[in-house]
Amino acid sequence: MHRTALAEIADGHVVASSSLSREFTRSREPKVLMSTLRALETKGLAVRPPRRPPGC
């Protein structure tokens, strides 16, 4: 599953967001779960850039 998730991330098909203090991902099929994204981040295989303030 991690290999598929990495391919989706590399292709730009995964977006991580948060709302009401909850994090979630949006992706095409196959669905990439937030837990998978976190696991890849822990292993140093995926990085989320810092959020930019609104209007930047």
mmCIF file of all heavy atoms in Angstrom:
data_model
loop_
_atom_site.group_PDB
_atom_site.id
_atom_site.type_symbol
_atom_site.label_atom_id
_atom_site.label_comp_id
_atom_site.label_asym_id
_atom_site.label_seq_id
_atom_site.Cartn_x
_atom_site.Cartn_y
_atom_site.Cartn_z
ATOM 1 N N MET A 1 0.822 -1.202 0.000
ATOM 2 C CA MET A 1 0.000 0.000 0.000
ATOM 3 C C MET A 1 0.862 1.260 0.000
ATOM 4 O O MET A 1 0.510 2.249 -0.622
ATOM 5 C CB MET A 1 -0.948 -0.031 1.204
ATOM 6 C CG MET A 1 -1.892 1.117 1.246
ATOM 7 S SD MET A 1 -2.912 1.120 -0.234
ATOM 8 C CE MET A 1 -4.012 2.400 0.104
ATOM 9 N N HIS A 2 2.000 1.221 0.699
ATOM 10 C CA HIS A 2 2.853 2.404 0.749
ATOM 11 C C HIS A 2 3.409 2.753 -0.620
ATOM 12 O O HIS A 2 3.524 3.927 -0.962
ATOM 13 C CB HIS A 2 3.990 2.208 1.753
ATOM 14 C CG HIS A 2 3.532 2.261 3.172
ATOM 15 N ND1 HIS A 2 4.402 2.185 4.213
ATOM 16 C CD2 HIS A 2 2.313 2.390 3.729
ATOM 17 C CE1 HIS A 2 3.738 2.270 5.351
ATOM 18 N NE2 HIS A 2 2.466 2.383 5.068
ATOM 19 N N ARG A 3 3.725 1.752 -1.417
ATOM 20 C CA ARG A 3 4.261 2.006 -2.756
ATOM 21 C C ARG A 3 3.226 2.736 -3.613
ATOM 22 O O ARG A 3 3.548 3.684 -4.330
ATOM 23 C CB ARG A 3 4.663 0.692 -3.413
ATOM 24 C CG ARG A 3 5.276 0.891 -4.777
ATOM 25 C CD ARG A 3 5.810 -0.373 -5.295
ATOM 26 N NE ARG A 3 6.947 -0.738 -4.441
ATOM 27 C CZ ARG A 3 7.803 -1.680 -4.710
ATOM 28 N NH1 ARG A 3 7.667 -2.395 -5.794
ATOM 29 N NH2 ARG A 3 8.805 -1.934 -3.909
ATOM 30 N N THR A 4 1.985 2.294 -3.542
ATOM 31 C CA THR A 4 0.907 2.946 -4.296
ATOM 32 C C THR A 4 0.711 4.374 -3.810
ATOM 33 O O THR A 4 0.559 5.294 -4.612
ATOM 34 C CB THR A 4 -0.403 2.145 -4.145
ATOM 35 O OG1 THR A 4 -0.175 0.814 -4.605
ATOM 36 C CG2 THR A 4 -1.534 2.768 -4.936
ATOM 37 N N ALA A 5 0.734 4.559 -2.482
ATOM 38 C CA ALA A 5 0.570 5.899 -1.918
ATOM 39 C C ALA A 5 1.707 6.808 -2.362
ATOM 40 O O ALA A 5 1.479 7.971 -2.713
ATOM 41 C CB ALA A 5 0.500 5.826 -0.399
ATOM 42 N N LEU A 6 2.938 6.305 -2.362
ATOM 43 C CA LEU A 6 4.077 7.110 -2.810
ATOM 44 C C LEU A 6 3.909 7.543 -4.264
ATOM 45 O O LEU A 6 4.199 8.690 -4.616
ATOM 46 C CB LEU A 6 5.380 6.328 -2.650
ATOM 47 C CG LEU A 6 5.948 6.283 -1.244
ATOM 48 C CD1 LEU A 6 7.116 5.306 -1.183
ATOM 49 C CD2 LEU A 6 6.375 7.658 -0.784
ATOM 50 N N ALA A 7 3.434 6.640 -5.102
ATOM 51 C CA ALA A 7 3.214 6.975 -6.505
ATOM 52 C C ALA A 7 2.153 8.065 -6.639
ATOM 53 O O ALA A 7 2.304 8.999 -7.435
ATOM 54 C CB ALA A 7 2.809 5.733 -7.292
ATOM 55 N N GLU A 8 1.082 7.960 -5.878
ATOM 56 C CA GLU A 8 0.014 8.963 -5.924
ATOM 57 C C GLU A 8 0.517 10.320 -5.440
ATOM 58 O O GLU A 8 0.192 11.357 -6.013
ATOM 59 C CB GLU A 8 -1.189 8.506 -5.090
ATOM 60 C CG GLU A 8 -1.934 7.330 -5.686
ATOM 61 C CD GLU A 8 -2.515 7.657 -7.052
ATOM 62 O OE1 GLU A 8 -3.308 8.609 -7.153
ATOM 63 O OE2 GLU A 8 -2.161 6.959 -8.017
ATOM 64 N N ILE A 9 1.322 10.320 -4.377
ATOM 65 C CA ILE A 9 1.891 11.566 -3.853
ATOM 66 C C ILE A 9 2.821 12.186 -4.892
ATOM 67 O O ILE A 9 2.754 13.384 -5.175
ATOM 68 C CB ILE A 9 2.630 11.305 -2.528
ATOM 69 C CG1 ILE A 9 1.624 10.927 -1.433
ATOM 70 C CG2 ILE A 9 3.450 12.525 -2.108
ATOM 71 C CD1 ILE A 9 2.258 10.339 -0.189
ATOM 72 N N ALA A 10 3.691 11.369 -5.482
ATOM 73 C CA ALA A 10 4.645 11.853 -6.484
ATOM 74 C C ALA A 10 3.934 12.443 -7.698
ATOM 75 O O ALA A 10 4.409 13.412 -8.294
ATOM 76 C CB ALA A 10 5.573 10.723 -6.914
ATOM 77 N N ASP A 11 2.806 11.885 -8.053
ATOM 78 C CA ASP A 11 2.037 12.380 -9.193
ATOM 79 C C ASP A 11 1.187 13.604 -8.845
ATOM 80 O O ASP A 11 0.502 14.149 -9.710
ATOM 81 C CB ASP A 11 1.131 11.280 -9.752
ATOM 82 C CG ASP A 11 1.911 10.199 -10.478
ATOM 83 O OD1 ASP A 11 3.065 10.455 -10.876
ATOM 84 O OD2 ASP A 11 1.358 9.090 -10.654
ATOM 85 N N GLY A 12 1.206 14.022 -7.574
ATOM 86 C CA GLY A 12 0.442 15.195 -7.155
ATOM 87 C C GLY A 12 -1.032 14.925 -6.966
ATOM 88 O O GLY A 12 -1.840 15.852 -7.028
ATOM 89 N N HIS A 13 -1.398 13.682 -6.721
ATOM 90 C CA HIS A 13 -2.811 13.317 -6.590
ATOM 91 C C HIS A 13 -3.293 13.257 -5.148
ATOM 92 O O HIS A 13 -4.417 12.820 -4.903
ATOM 93 C CB HIS A 13 -3.068 11.956 -7.248
ATOM 94 C CG HIS A 13 -2.795 11.965 -8.717
ATOM 95 N ND1 HIS A 13 -2.664 10.810 -9.430
ATOM 96 C CD2 HIS A 13 -2.625 12.964 -9.608
ATOM 97 C CE1 HIS A 13 -2.425 11.098 -10.690
ATOM 98 N NE2 HIS A 13 -2.394 12.412 -10.820
ATOM 99 N N VAL A 14 -2.463 13.670 -4.188
ATOM 100 C CA VAL A 14 -2.849 13.611 -2.773
ATOM 101 C C VAL A 14 -2.745 15.009 -2.175
ATOM 102 O O VAL A 14 -1.747 15.697 -2.351
ATOM 103 C CB VAL A 14 -1.946 12.641 -1.983
ATOM 104 C CG1 VAL A 14 -2.321 12.614 -0.499
ATOM 105 C CG2 VAL A 14 -2.018 11.240 -2.574
ATOM 106 N N VAL A 15 -3.799 15.420 -1.467
ATOM 107 C CA VAL A 15 -3.819 16.703 -0.772
ATOM 108 C C VAL A 15 -4.150 16.432 0.681
ATOM 109 O O VAL A 15 -5.137 15.753 0.984
ATOM 110 C CB VAL A 15 -4.883 17.649 -1.372
ATOM 111 C CG1 VAL A 15 -4.969 18.939 -0.570
ATOM 112 C CG2 VAL A 15 -4.594 17.924 -2.829
ATOM 113 N N ALA A 16 -3.313 16.937 1.584
ATOM 114 C CA ALA A 16 -3.585 16.821 3.016
ATOM 115 C C ALA A 16 -4.113 18.161 3.505
ATOM 116 O O ALA A 16 -3.559 19.213 3.183
ATOM 117 C CB ALA A 16 -2.321 16.438 3.771
ATOM 118 N N SER A 17 -5.190 18.135 4.261
ATOM 119 C CA SER A 17 -5.818 19.350 4.766
ATOM 120 C C SER A 17 -6.264 19.125 6.205
ATOM 121 O O SER A 17 -6.210 18.004 6.714
ATOM 122 C CB SER A 17 -7.041 19.715 3.928
ATOM 123 O OG SER A 17 -6.691 19.941 2.596
ATOM 124 N N SER A 18 -6.735 20.187 6.826
ATOM 125 C CA SER A 18 -7.320 20.048 8.152
ATOM 126 C C SER A 18 -8.526 20.965 8.257
ATOM 127 O O SER A 18 -8.601 22.000 7.591
ATOM 128 C CB SER A 18 -6.304 20.373 9.247
ATOM 129 O OG SER A 18 -5.905 21.712 9.158
ATOM 130 N N SER A 19 -9.468 20.536 9.065
ATOM 131 C CA SER A 19 -10.675 21.306 9.306
ATOM 132 C C SER A 19 -11.187 20.949 10.689
ATOM 133 O O SER A 19 -11.254 19.764 11.040
ATOM 134 C CB SER A 19 -11.728 20.972 8.249
ATOM 135 O OG SER A 19 -12.919 21.666 8.509
ATOM 136 N N LEU A 20 -11.483 21.969 11.464
ATOM 137 C CA LEU A 20 -11.982 21.750 12.827
ATOM 138 C C LEU A 20 -11.043 20.842 13.616
ATOM 139 O O LEU A 20 -11.464 19.912 14.296
ATOM 140 C CB LEU A 20 -13.398 21.169 12.795
ATOM 141 C CG LEU A 20 -14.445 22.011 12.075
ATOM 142 C CD1 LEU A 20 -15.761 21.250 11.971
ATOM 143 C CD2 LEU A 20 -14.645 23.337 12.781
ATOM 144 N N SER A 21 -9.740 21.096 13.487
ATOM 145 C CA SER A 21 -8.686 20.356 14.205
ATOM 146 C C SER A 21 -8.579 18.903 13.796
ATOM 147 O O SER A 21 -7.994 18.101 14.515
ATOM 148 C CB SER A 21 -8.884 20.462 15.717
ATOM 149 O OG SER A 21 -8.845 21.804 16.121
ATOM 150 N N ARG A 22 -9.149 18.522 12.656
ATOM 151 C CA ARG A 22 -9.033 17.149 12.151
ATOM 152 C C ARG A 22 -8.274 17.179 10.836
ATOM 153 O O ARG A 22 -8.550 18.004 9.988
ATOM 154 C CB ARG A 22 -10.399 16.517 11.934
ATOM 155 C CG ARG A 22 -11.138 16.235 13.223
ATOM 156 C CD ARG A 22 -12.342 15.416 12.940
ATOM 157 N NE ARG A 22 -11.954 14.255 12.144
ATOM 158 C CZ ARG A 22 -12.367 13.028 12.344
ATOM 159 N NH1 ARG A 22 -13.203 12.799 13.304
ATOM 160 N NH2 ARG A 22 -11.982 12.037 11.583
ATOM 161 N N GLU A 23 -7.329 16.264 10.695
ATOM 162 C CA GLU A 23 -6.580 16.166 9.448
ATOM 163 C C GLU A 23 -7.232 15.127 8.548
ATOM 164 O O GLU A 23 -7.786 14.140 9.025
ATOM 165 C CB GLU A 23 -5.141 15.755 9.724
ATOM 166 C CG GLU A 23 -4.346 16.810 10.457
ATOM 167 C CD GLU A 23 -2.916 16.369 10.630
ATOM 168 O OE1 GLU A 23 -2.686 15.260 11.145
ATOM 169 O OE2 GLU A 23 -2.028 17.132 10.234
ATOM 170 N N PHE A 24 -7.158 15.354 7.240
ATOM 171 C CA PHE A 24 -7.692 14.388 6.299
ATOM 172 C C PHE A 24 -6.930 14.502 4.984
ATOM 173 O O PHE A 24 -6.203 15.467 4.754
ATOM 174 C CB PHE A 24 -9.196 14.590 6.079
ATOM 175 C CG PHE A 24 -9.561 15.956 5.570
ATOM 176 C CD1 PHE A 24 -9.659 16.190 4.209
ATOM 177 C CD2 PHE A 24 -9.799 17.001 6.441
ATOM 178 C CE1 PHE A 24 -10.003 17.455 3.735
ATOM 179 C CE2 PHE A 24 -10.137 18.262 5.969
ATOM 180 C CZ PHE A 24 -10.242 18.487 4.606
ATOM 181 N N THR A 25 -7.077 13.498 4.152
ATOM 182 C CA THR A 25 -6.462 13.524 2.828
ATOM 183 C C THR A 25 -7.550 13.475 1.772
ATOM 184 O O THR A 25 -8.632 12.931 2.000
ATOM 185 C CB THR A 25 -5.511 12.330 2.605
ATOM 186 O OG1 THR A 25 -6.226 11.122 2.773
ATOM 187 C CG2 THR A 25 -4.344 12.381 3.550
ATOM 188 N N ARG A 26 -7.248 14.061 0.636
ATOM 189 C CA ARG A 26 -8.092 13.928 -0.550
ATOM 190 C C ARG A 26 -7.207 13.340 -1.634
ATOM 191 O O ARG A 26 -6.084 13.811 -1.825
ATOM 192 C CB ARG A 26 -8.642 15.285 -0.996
ATOM 193 C CG ARG A 26 -9.777 15.753 -0.106
ATOM 194 C CD ARG A 26 -10.339 17.044 -0.602
ATOM 195 N NE ARG A 26 -9.516 18.086 0.035
ATOM 196 C CZ ARG A 26 -9.326 19.289 -0.449
ATOM 197 N NH1 ARG A 26 -9.884 19.646 -1.577
ATOM 198 N NH2 ARG A 26 -8.585 20.157 0.174
ATOM 199 N N SER A 27 -7.694 12.312 -2.280
ATOM 200 C CA SER A 27 -6.900 11.669 -3.322
ATOM 201 C C SER A 27 -7.819 10.983 -4.318
ATOM 202 O O SER A 27 -8.986 10.741 -4.053
ATOM 203 C CB SER A 27 -5.938 10.647 -2.712
ATOM 204 O OG SER A 27 -6.633 9.649 -2.002
ATOM 205 N N ARG A 28 -7.241 10.687 -5.467
ATOM 206 C CA ARG A 28 -7.948 9.883 -6.459
ATOM 207 C C ARG A 28 -7.928 8.441 -5.992
ATOM 208 O O ARG A 28 -7.311 8.107 -4.980
ATOM 209 C CB ARG A 28 -7.243 9.992 -7.805
ATOM 210 C CG ARG A 28 -7.218 11.398 -8.356
ATOM 211 C CD ARG A 28 -6.466 11.410 -9.655
ATOM 212 N NE ARG A 28 -6.478 12.751 -10.229
ATOM 213 C CZ ARG A 28 -5.995 13.035 -11.403
ATOM 214 N NH1 ARG A 28 -5.457 12.104 -12.152
ATOM 215 N NH2 ARG A 28 -6.037 14.268 -11.853
ATOM 216 N N GLU A 29 -8.554 7.571 -6.752
ATOM 217 C CA GLU A 29 -8.471 6.140 -6.442
ATOM 218 C C GLU A 29 -7.096 5.644 -6.822
ATOM 219 O O GLU A 29 -6.589 6.029 -7.871
ATOM 220 C CB GLU A 29 -9.554 5.367 -7.200
ATOM 221 C CG GLU A 29 -10.945 5.648 -6.709
ATOM 222 C CD GLU A 29 -11.187 5.224 -5.270
ATOM 223 O OE1 GLU A 29 -10.637 4.192 -4.843
ATOM 224 O OE2 GLU A 29 -11.908 5.936 -4.578
ATOM 225 N N PRO A 30 -6.441 4.840 -6.060
ATOM 226 C CA PRO A 30 -6.842 4.314 -4.758
ATOM 227 C C PRO A 30 -6.720 5.387 -3.671
ATOM 228 O O PRO A 30 -5.863 6.259 -3.745
ATOM 229 C CB PRO A 30 -5.846 3.186 -4.515
ATOM 230 C CG PRO A 30 -4.626 3.606 -5.249
ATOM 231 C CD PRO A 30 -5.122 4.377 -6.452
ATOM 232 N N LYS A 31 -7.582 5.293 -2.686
ATOM 233 C CA LYS A 31 -7.617 6.264 -1.605
ATOM 234 C C LYS A 31 -6.367 6.139 -0.743
ATOM 235 O O LYS A 31 -5.959 5.053 -0.379
ATOM 236 C CB LYS A 31 -8.857 6.019 -0.754
ATOM 237 C CG LYS A 31 -9.077 7.064 0.301
ATOM 238 C CD LYS A 31 -10.446 6.900 0.905
ATOM 239 C CE LYS A 31 -10.699 7.884 2.010
ATOM 240 N NZ LYS A 31 -10.693 9.257 1.578
ATOM 241 N N VAL A 32 -5.743 7.276 -0.439
ATOM 242 C CA VAL A 32 -4.581 7.310 0.448
ATOM 243 C C VAL A 32 -5.062 7.794 1.808
ATOM 244 O O VAL A 32 -5.567 8.912 1.935
ATOM 245 C CB VAL A 32 -3.481 8.238 -0.107
ATOM 246 C CG1 VAL A 32 -2.323 8.333 0.873
ATOM 247 C CG2 VAL A 32 -3.003 7.744 -1.466
ATOM 248 N N LEU A 33 -4.940 6.956 2.809
ATOM 249 C CA LEU A 33 -5.400 7.289 4.156
ATOM 250 C C LEU A 33 -4.410 8.200 4.867
ATOM 251 O O LEU A 33 -3.206 8.162 4.603
ATOM 252 C CB LEU A 33 -5.593 6.021 4.974
ATOM 253 C CG LEU A 33 -6.580 4.998 4.424
ATOM 254 C CD1 LEU A 33 -6.585 3.752 5.289
ATOM 255 C CD2 LEU A 33 -7.970 5.596 4.328
ATOM 256 N N MET A 34 -4.918 8.997 5.801
ATOM 257 C CA MET A 34 -4.062 9.883 6.591
ATOM 258 C C MET A 34 -3.027 9.072 7.356
ATOM 259 O O MET A 34 -1.869 9.475 7.464
ATOM 260 C CB MET A 34 -4.925 10.713 7.549
ATOM 261 C CG MET A 34 -4.202 11.842 8.180
ATOM 262 S SD MET A 34 -3.827 13.062 6.923
ATOM 263 C CE MET A 34 -2.441 13.847 7.646
ATOM 264 N N SER A 35 -3.414 7.915 7.857
ATOM 265 C CA SER A 35 -2.465 7.079 8.606
ATOM 266 C C SER A 35 -1.315 6.611 7.709
ATOM 267 O O SER A 35 -0.163 6.534 8.158
ATOM 268 C CB SER A 35 -3.182 5.879 9.229
ATOM 269 O OG SER A 35 -3.812 5.106 8.230
ATOM 270 N N THR A 36 -1.608 6.343 6.443
ATOM 271 C CA THR A 36 -0.560 5.956 5.500
ATOM 272 C C THR A 36 0.370 7.127 5.244
ATOM 273 O O THR A 36 1.601 6.961 5.240
ATOM 274 C CB THR A 36 -1.178 5.474 4.176
ATOM 275 O OG1 THR A 36 -2.057 4.393 4.434
ATOM 276 C CG2 THR A 36 -0.110 5.044 3.190
ATOM 277 N N LEU A 37 -0.182 8.313 5.057
ATOM 278 C CA LEU A 37 0.644 9.496 4.853
ATOM 279 C C LEU A 37 1.540 9.742 6.059
ATOM 280 O O LEU A 37 2.735 10.007 5.912
ATOM 281 C CB LEU A 37 -0.241 10.715 4.577
ATOM 282 C CG LEU A 37 0.475 12.040 4.355
ATOM 283 C CD1 LEU A 37 1.457 11.953 3.199
ATOM 284 C CD2 LEU A 37 -0.526 13.154 4.128
ATOM 285 N N ARG A 38 0.999 9.636 7.265
ATOM 286 C CA ARG A 38 1.806 9.822 8.479
ATOM 287 C C ARG A 38 2.919 8.788 8.578
ATOM 288 O O ARG A 38 4.043 9.117 8.966
ATOM 289 C CB ARG A 38 0.917 9.745 9.719
ATOM 290 C CG ARG A 38 0.085 10.975 9.931
ATOM 291 C CD ARG A 38 -0.577 10.936 11.297
ATOM 292 N NE ARG A 38 -1.582 11.953 11.384
ATOM 293 C CZ ARG A 38 -2.879 11.728 11.556
ATOM 294 N NH1 ARG A 38 -3.335 10.501 11.660
ATOM 295 N NH2 ARG A 38 -3.724 12.726 11.626
ATOM 296 N N ALA A 39 2.618 7.534 8.234
ATOM 297 C CA ALA A 39 3.637 6.481 8.276
ATOM 298 C C ALA A 39 4.771 6.795 7.298
ATOM 299 O O ALA A 39 5.951 6.621 7.629
ATOM 300 C CB ALA A 39 3.014 5.129 7.955
ATOM 301 N N LEU A 40 4.436 7.275 6.104
ATOM 302 C CA LEU A 40 5.454 7.638 5.126
ATOM 303 C C LEU A 40 6.272 8.833 5.604
ATOM 304 O O LEU A 40 7.486 8.886 5.400
ATOM 305 C CB LEU A 40 4.805 7.931 3.775
ATOM 306 C CG LEU A 40 4.178 6.717 3.085
ATOM 307 C CD1 LEU A 40 3.367 7.167 1.879
ATOM 308 C CD2 LEU A 40 5.236 5.706 2.687
ATOM 309 N N GLU A 41 5.622 9.786 6.255
ATOM 310 C CA GLU A 41 6.344 10.938 6.810
ATOM 311 C C GLU A 41 7.306 10.500 7.908
ATOM 312 O O GLU A 41 8.446 10.966 7.956
ATOM 313 C CB GLU A 41 5.361 11.963 7.380
ATOM 314 C CG GLU A 41 4.579 12.704 6.328
ATOM 315 C CD GLU A 41 3.542 13.625 6.913
ATOM 316 O OE1 GLU A 41 2.976 13.336 7.981
ATOM 317 O OE2 GLU A 41 3.287 14.654 6.264
ATOM 318 N N THR A 42 6.871 9.586 8.759
ATOM 319 C CA THR A 42 7.715 9.082 9.841
ATOM 320 C C THR A 42 8.970 8.420 9.288
ATOM 321 O O THR A 42 10.060 8.553 9.856
ATOM 322 C CB THR A 42 6.928 8.080 10.717
ATOM 323 O OG1 THR A 42 5.808 8.764 11.283
ATOM 324 C CG2 THR A 42 7.776 7.511 11.831
ATOM 325 N N LYS A 43 8.844 7.732 8.170
ATOM 326 C CA LYS A 43 9.979 7.056 7.539
ATOM 327 C C LYS A 43 10.811 8.000 6.678
ATOM 328 O O LYS A 43 11.803 7.594 6.084
ATOM 329 C CB LYS A 43 9.480 5.896 6.676
ATOM 330 C CG LYS A 43 8.852 4.796 7.488
ATOM 331 C CD LYS A 43 8.296 3.716 6.597
ATOM 332 C CE LYS A 43 7.631 2.637 7.429
ATOM 333 N NZ LYS A 43 7.086 1.577 6.592
ATOM 334 N N GLY A 44 10.400 9.267 6.572
ATOM 335 C CA GLY A 44 11.133 10.237 5.769
ATOM 336 C C GLY A 44 10.881 10.108 4.277
ATOM 337 O O GLY A 44 11.640 10.630 3.468
ATOM 338 N N LEU A 45 9.809 9.410 3.889
ATOM 339 C CA LEU A 45 9.512 9.186 2.477
ATOM 340 C C LEU A 45 8.543 10.199 1.886
ATOM 341 O O LEU A 45 8.389 10.268 0.667
ATOM 342 C CB LEU A 45 8.957 7.767 2.287
ATOM 343 C CG LEU A 45 9.913 6.648 2.697
ATOM 344 C CD1 LEU A 45 9.206 5.308 2.631
ATOM 345 C CD2 LEU A 45 11.153 6.656 1.830
ATOM 346 N N ALA A 46 7.887 10.968 2.737
ATOM 347 C CA ALA A 46 6.953 12.003 2.278
ATOM 348 C C ALA A 46 7.081 13.197 3.208
ATOM 349 O O ALA A 46 7.360 13.040 4.400
ATOM 350 C CB ALA A 46 5.515 11.484 2.284
ATOM 351 N N VAL A 47 6.908 14.387 2.661
ATOM 352 C CA VAL A 47 7.014 15.620 3.440
ATOM 353 C C VAL A 47 5.873 16.535 3.039
ATOM 354 O O VAL A 47 5.602 16.716 1.860
ATOM 355 C CB VAL A 47 8.359 16.334 3.171
ATOM 356 C CG1 VAL A 47 8.434 17.646 3.922
ATOM 357 C CG2 VAL A 47 9.523 15.445 3.528
ATOM 358 N N ARG A 48 5.232 17.111 4.050
ATOM 359 C CA ARG A 48 4.218 18.132 3.774
ATOM 360 C C ARG A 48 4.868 19.487 3.995
ATOM 361 O O ARG A 48 5.418 19.750 5.060
ATOM 362 C CB ARG A 48 3.027 17.988 4.719
ATOM 363 C CG ARG A 48 2.085 16.897 4.317
ATOM 364 C CD ARG A 48 0.851 16.905 5.178
ATOM 365 N NE ARG A 48 1.106 16.091 6.363
ATOM 366 C CZ ARG A 48 0.283 16.010 7.391
ATOM 367 N NH1 ARG A 48 -0.819 16.710 7.423
ATOM 368 N NH2 ARG A 48 0.568 15.238 8.412
ATOM 369 N N PRO A 49 4.821 20.368 3.000
ATOM 370 C CA PRO A 49 5.401 21.705 3.191
ATOM 371 C C PRO A 49 4.613 22.460 4.251
ATOM 372 O O PRO A 49 3.425 22.189 4.457
ATOM 373 C CB PRO A 49 5.288 22.359 1.832
ATOM 374 C CG PRO A 49 4.292 21.558 1.066
ATOM 375 C CD PRO A 49 4.243 20.199 1.689
ATOM 376 N N PRO A 50 5.268 23.407 4.929
ATOM 377 C CA PRO A 50 4.534 24.200 5.933
ATOM 378 C C PRO A 50 3.383 24.963 5.301
ATOM 379 O O PRO A 50 3.458 25.357 4.135
ATOM 380 C CB PRO A 50 5.591 25.183 6.460
ATOM 381 C CG PRO A 50 6.872 24.782 5.864
ATOM 382 C CD PRO A 50 6.631 23.799 4.778
ATOM 383 N N ARG A 51 2.341 25.145 6.079
ATOM 384 C CA ARG A 51 1.188 25.905 5.586
ATOM 385 C C ARG A 51 1.564 27.372 5.441
ATOM 386 O O ARG A 51 2.273 27.927 6.267
ATOM 387 C CB ARG A 51 0.036 25.825 6.588
ATOM 388 C CG ARG A 51 -0.901 24.702 6.327
ATOM 389 C CD ARG A 51 -2.030 24.731 7.309
ATOM 390 N NE ARG A 51 -3.140 25.456 6.737
ATOM 391 C CZ ARG A 51 -4.271 25.651 7.349
ATOM 392 N NH1 ARG A 51 -4.453 25.194 8.556
ATOM 393 N NH2 ARG A 51 -5.251 26.306 6.768
ATOM 394 N N ARG A 52 1.063 27.973 4.383
ATOM 395 C CA ARG A 52 1.269 29.404 4.182
ATOM 396 C C ARG A 52 0.068 30.150 4.758
ATOM 397 O O ARG A 52 -1.068 29.677 4.622
ATOM 398 C CB ARG A 52 1.413 29.728 2.707
ATOM 399 C CG ARG A 52 2.729 29.256 2.150
ATOM 400 C CD ARG A 52 2.857 29.650 0.710
ATOM 401 N NE ARG A 52 2.201 28.598 -0.075
ATOM 402 C CZ ARG A 52 1.800 28.735 -1.316
ATOM 403 N NH1 ARG A 52 1.964 29.861 -1.931
ATOM 404 N NH2 ARG A 52 1.241 27.735 -1.954
ATOM 405 N N PRO A 53 0.312 31.301 5.369
ATOM 406 C CA PRO A 53 -0.818 32.091 5.857
ATOM 407 C C PRO A 53 -1.711 32.515 4.700
ATOM 408 O O PRO A 53 -1.237 32.682 3.568
ATOM 409 C CB PRO A 53 -0.162 33.318 6.485
ATOM 410 C CG PRO A 53 1.275 32.956 6.664
ATOM 411 C CD PRO A 53 1.588 31.886 5.654
ATOM 412 N N PRO A 54 -3.010 32.698 4.954
ATOM 413 C CA PRO A 54 -3.914 33.151 3.896
ATOM 414 C C PRO A 54 -3.431 34.460 3.279
ATOM 415 O O PRO A 54 -2.916 35.323 3.969
ATOM 416 C CB PRO A 54 -5.246 33.349 4.613
ATOM 417 C CG PRO A 54 -5.144 32.553 5.864
ATOM 418 C CD PRO A 54 -3.681 32.513 6.220
ATOM 419 N N GLY A 55 -3.570 34.581 1.978
ATOM 420 C CA GLY A 55 -3.199 35.801 1.288
ATOM 421 C C GLY A 55 -1.759 35.858 0.824
ATOM 422 O O GLY A 55 -1.306 36.862 0.295
ATOM 423 N N CYS A 56 -0.987 34.802 1.044
ATOM 424 C CA CYS A 56 0.426 34.803 0.609
ATOM 425 C C CYS A 56 0.578 34.201 -0.751
ATOM 426 O O CYS A 56 -0.042 33.369 -1.187
ATOM 427 C CB CYS A 56 1.281 34.028 1.582
ATOM 428 S SG CYS A 56 1.593 34.938 3.081
#
